[in-house]
C-alpha cells in the first residue's frame, strides 16, 4: 500500500497466520477485503481505518479467536421507539462535584458549584426518583475507584445511569482534585464490556467544565417575517448520551456576585446546570432528551451573558451547550404512572410516536373518568 504504513511486515506472524505472503497481504488490504477463517470466507470484511493506517482488525467479539460468546438479555425490545423506563427506582445518579483543587494545579476555587450540586440532588431525588450519590473533591485515585465500583455493581433492576461531572477542564481532559485525566476514562468504564448490566440501557452524562479558553462573543440576529431478528449484536459504545456545557475549545461560565470582605461570593450556579434544571423542572416528562437539549440552549442563550465590565476581554460573552448521542431509542423520562402508555407500544409504521390510537384511547379514558367523577359530585350536592 503505497504511502501508508502497514502494521504487519514480511514474515510477521500476522501474515503467516492468514496464509498470505507479503504481496498477497498488501493486495488484500488495498482491495478492502480480508478473509477470516472464523466466518464465511465468501463474504468481504470491512476494515477499520485507524488514523489513516490499514491496521488489521481485532478478533470480533464472540468469534472463535476472540472472547467467549455472551448473549445479554435486551432491556428494551429493539422495535420499541422509546427506551424502557418503568423501574420504580430509575437508577443511580452519580454527582462528582469539584470545588477545591490541589495547590500544585494552580486552579481557581469553583464558587457556585455547591448550588449546582444541591439543586441536582434535590431534583433527581424528588422528581425523577433516582438513587443519588454525591462525591466532593475526589482525588484522581479515589475518583477511579468510585467509577470502577459503580461499573461493577449490578444495574439489572434499573433503567439507566446518570453521571454529573462538575469541575475544571480543558480540551480533551477533566480535572480531579489533584490531577488531570482524559475524557474517555470517565465514559469507557460504563461501556457494554466493562459494565454488561448497563448494556442496551441509557448512560447519560452531564458535563459542566471548560473545554478550552476561547470566548463566544455571539452574533446579532434579526428575525424576518417572510425488523431485526430476536437476537442482534449491539456496539459496546451504544446508548451513550452526553450533554456538554459548552463546545470543544470554549469556555464554560458560572455566575457569581462580587465577594464582600471576609465572605465567599454570592453564587447562583453555572449557566448550563441552572438552565438544564430549569428546563427539566418544566418539561422533563413532555419531551425526549434531545428536544430538552434544544430548550436548554434556548434558555441559556436568552438568559445569560457574561458581565465583567472591568475586563472587556471577557465581557458580554455567550455560551451554547452541545449534545452527543449514540442512542438506539428515544430517551424520555415518562412519569412512572404513565410509562405503560409509551414503553410497551412500538411505533406504528410511518410514525415517530408510540401507538397513537391506543395512547389516545387511554388518555380519553382518563379524561372521561375525571368528568364522570365531577358529574357525580355535582349530582350529590345538587
Amino acid at each position: 500500500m503505497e504511502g501508508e504504513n502497514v502494521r504487519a511486515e514480511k514474515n510477521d506472524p500476522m501474515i503467516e497466520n492468514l496464509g498470505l505472503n507479503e504481496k498477497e497481504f498488501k493486495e488484500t488490504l488495498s482491495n478492502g477485503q480480508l478473509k477470516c477463517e472464523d466466518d464465511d470466507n465468501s463474504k468481504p470484511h470491512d476494515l477499520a481505518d485507524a488514523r489513516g493506517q490499514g491496521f488489521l482488525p481485532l478478533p470480533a467479539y464472540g468469534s472463535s479467536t476472540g472472547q467467549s460468546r455472551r448473549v445479554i438479555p435486551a432491556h428494551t425490545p429493539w422495535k420499541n421507539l422509546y427506551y424502557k423506563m418503568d423501574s420504580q427506582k430509575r437508577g443511580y445518579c452519580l454527582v462528582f462535584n469539584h470545588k477545591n483543587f490541589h495547590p500544585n494545579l494552580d486552579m481557581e476555587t469553583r464558587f457556585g458549584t455547591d448550588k449546582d450540586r444541591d439543586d441536582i440532588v434535590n431534583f433527581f431525588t424528588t422528581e425523577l426518583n433516582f438513587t443519588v450519590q454525591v462525591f466532593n473533591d475526589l482525588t484522581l485515585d479515589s475518583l477511579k475507584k468510585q467509577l470502577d465500583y459503580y461499573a461493577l455493581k449490578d444495574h439489572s433492576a434499573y433503567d439507566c445511569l446518570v453521571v454529573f461531572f462538575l469541575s475544571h477542564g480543558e480540551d480533551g481532559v477533566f480535572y480531579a482534585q489533584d490531577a488531570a485525566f482524559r475524557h474517555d476514562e470517565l465514559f469507557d468504564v460504563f461501556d457494554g464490556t466493562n459494565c454488561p448490566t448497563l448494556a442496551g440501557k441509557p448512560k447519560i452524562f452531564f458535563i459542566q467544565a471548560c473545554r478550552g479558553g476561547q470566548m463566544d462573543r455571539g452574533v446579532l440576529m434579526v428575525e424576518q417575517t417572510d425488523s431485526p431478528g430476536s437476537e442482534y449484536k449491539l456496539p459496546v459504545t451504544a446508548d451513550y448520551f452526553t450533554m456538554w456545557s459548552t463546545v470543544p475549545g470554549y469556555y464554560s461560565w458560572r455566575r457569581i456576585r462580587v465577594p464582600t470582605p471576609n465572605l465567599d461570593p454570592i453564587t447562583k450556579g453555572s449557566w448550563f446546570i441552572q438552565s438544564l434544571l430549569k428546563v427539566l423542572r418544566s418539561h422533563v416528562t413532555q419531551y425526549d432528551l434531545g428536544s430538552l437539549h434544544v430548550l436548554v440552549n434556548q434558555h441559556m442563550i436568552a438568559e445569560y451573558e457574561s458581565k465583567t465590565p472591568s475586563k472587556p476581554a471577557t465581557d458580554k460573552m455567550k455560551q451554547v451547550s452541545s449534545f452527543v448521542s449514540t442512542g438506539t431509542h428515544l430517551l424520555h423520562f415518562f412519569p412512572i404512572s404513565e410509562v405503560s402508555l409509551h414503553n410497551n407500544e412500538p411505533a406504528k409504521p410511518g410514525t415517530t410516536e408510540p401507538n397513537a390510537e391506543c395512547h389516545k384511547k387511554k388518555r380519553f379514558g382518563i379524561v372521561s373518568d375525571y368528568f364522570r367523577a365531577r358529574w357525580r359530585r355535582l349530582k350529590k350536592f345538587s
Side-chain angles (χ1 to χ4, degrees), residues 153-165:
K153 286 185 76 69
D154 185 0
H155 300 263
S156 300
Y158 301 132
D159 293 324
C160 63
L161 170 77
V162 170
V163 177
F164 280 87
F165 190 82

Side-chain angles (χ1 to χ4, degrees), residues 117-152:
R117 175 202 61 200
D118 295 343
D119 290 348
I120 291 166
V121 171
N122 179 60
F123 181 79
F124 276 78
T125 302
T126 61
E127 300 296 327
L128 289 183
N129 217 29
F130 276 86
T131 301
V132 180
Q133 301 290 340
V134 175
F135 307 93
N136 292 302
D137 296 341
L138 292 186
T139 64
L140 182 56
D141 183 61
S142 297
L143 173 64
K144 289 183 175 180
K145 287 179 179 177
Q146 290 296 338
L147 292 174
D148 289 339
Y149 173 77
Y150 281 95
L152 292 172

Side-chain angles (χ1 to χ4, degrees), residues 92-95 124 130 160-164 202 204-206 333:
Y92 287 105
C93 174
L94 310 180
V95 183
F124 276 78
F130 276 86
C160 63
L161 170 77
V162 170
V163 177
F164 280 87
I204 309 154
F205 292 81
F206 297 103
F333 291 108

Side-chain angles (χ1 to χ4, degrees), residues 60-313:
Y61 184 79
S63 70
S64 60
T65 55
Q67 305 177 39
S68 59
R69 181 177 177 82
R70 180 179 183 182
V71 179
I72 300 172
H75 184 67
T76 301
W78 182 251
K79 291 183 179 181
N80 275 27
L81 180 63
Y82 293 92
Y83 283 101
K84 181 175 177 288
M85 297 287 281
D86 57 2
S87 298
Q88 288 300 312
K89 281 290 185 180
R90 296 187 190 269
Y92 287 105
C93 174
L94 310 180
V95 183
F96 296 98
N97 177 52
H98 293 83
K99 179 179 180 180
N100 305 294
F101 297 85
H102 194 283
N104 290 345
L105 292 180
D106 194 26
M107 293 278 185
E108 292 183 356
T109 301
R110 296 185 61 254
F111 293 113
T113 192
D114 288 346
K115 175 173 174 53
D116 286 345
R117 175 202 61 200
D118 295 343
D119 290 348
I120 291 166
V121 171
N122 179 60
F123 181 79
F124 276 78
T125 302
T126 61
E127 300 296 327
L128 289 183
N129 217 29
F130 276 86
T131 301
V132 180
Q133 301 290 340
V134 175
F135 307 93
N136 292 302
D137 296 341
L138 292 186
T139 64
L140 182 56
D141 183 61
S142 297
L143 173 64
K144 289 183 175 180
K145 287 179 179 177
Q146 290 296 338
L147 292 174
D148 289 339
Y149 173 77
Y150 281 95
L152 292 172
K153 286 185 76 69
D154 185 0
H155 300 263
S156 300
Y158 301 132
D159 293 324
C160 63
L161 170 77
V162 170
V163 177
F164 280 87
F165 190 82
L166 318 174
S167 186
H168 285 301
E170 296 174 5
D171 199 9
V173 299
F174 297 133
Y175 283 91
Q177 189 269 344
D178 61 341
F181 64 99
R182 299 189 316 276
H183 291 168
D184 55 9
E185 294 181 73
L186 178 66
F187 306 128
D188 290 354
V189 69
F190 296 110
D191 70 21
T193 300
N194 295 313
C195 186
T197 57
L198 277 176
K201 300 179 181 181
K203 294 160 279 286
I204 309 154
F205 292 81
F206 297 103
I207 309 298
Q208 169 58 42
C210 290
R211 303 179 73 183
Q214 297 185 63
M215 304 284 181
D216 189 337
R217 294 190 176 276
V219 59
L220 291 176
M221 302 290 291
V222 59
E223 291 189 2
Q224 297 183 3
T225 58
D226 297 328
S227 143
S230 59
E231 181 180 318
Y232 55 91
K233 187 183 293 184
L234 195 67
V236 296
T237 52
D239 305 298
Y240 275 84
F241 297 83
T242 307
M243 202 178 294
W244 300 81
S245 62
T246 189
V247 294
Y250 279 81
Y251 198 75
S252 189
W253 292 88
R254 282 169 287 119
R255 174 162 288 182
I256 64 173
R257 293 181 184 174
V258 178
T260 54
N262 303 321
L263 292 175
D264 284 346
I266 301 173
T267 60
K268 294 186 176 181
S270 63
W271 296 6
F272 169 65
I273 294 296
Q274 293 303 313
S275 295
L276 172 67
L277 293 173
K278 172 76 173 179
V279 169
L280 292 181
R281 289 187 192 106
S282 301
H283 304 293
V284 68
T285 61
Q286 295 176 303
Y287 302 108
D288 68 278
L289 188 61
S291 301
L292 292 171
H293 171 249
V294 173
L295 298 181
V296 170
N297 273 342
Q298 288 185 349
H299 181 272
M300 186 161 57
I301 291 168
E303 298 295 326
Y304 290 98
E305 185 175 88
S306 65
K307 294 178 175 63
T308 59
S310 62
K311 299 179 180 179

Side-chain angles (χ1 to χ4, degrees), residues 13-80:
M14 281 186 175
I15 299 177
E16 293 177 357
N17 289 341
L18 292 171
L20 304 174
N21 58 38
E22 183 182 14
K23 181 179 178 182
E24 291 171 333
F25 173 76
K26 289 183 177 181
E27 288 176 353
T28 302
L29 285 180
S30 63
N31 290 335
Q33 296 182 350
L34 181 63
K35 293 185 177 181
C36 177
E37 294 299 327
D38 191 52
D39 289 307
D40 182 359
N41 288 340
S42 64
K43 297 180 181 179
H45 289 253
D46 294 328
L47 290 177
D49 187 8
R51 297 184 182 179
Q53 298 180 358
F55 287 157
L56 280 171
L58 294 174
Y61 184 79
S63 70
S64 60
T65 55
Q67 305 177 39
S68 59
R69 181 177 177 82
R70 180 179 183 182
V71 179
I72 300 172
H75 184 67
T76 301
W78 182 251
K79 291 183 179 181
N80 275 27

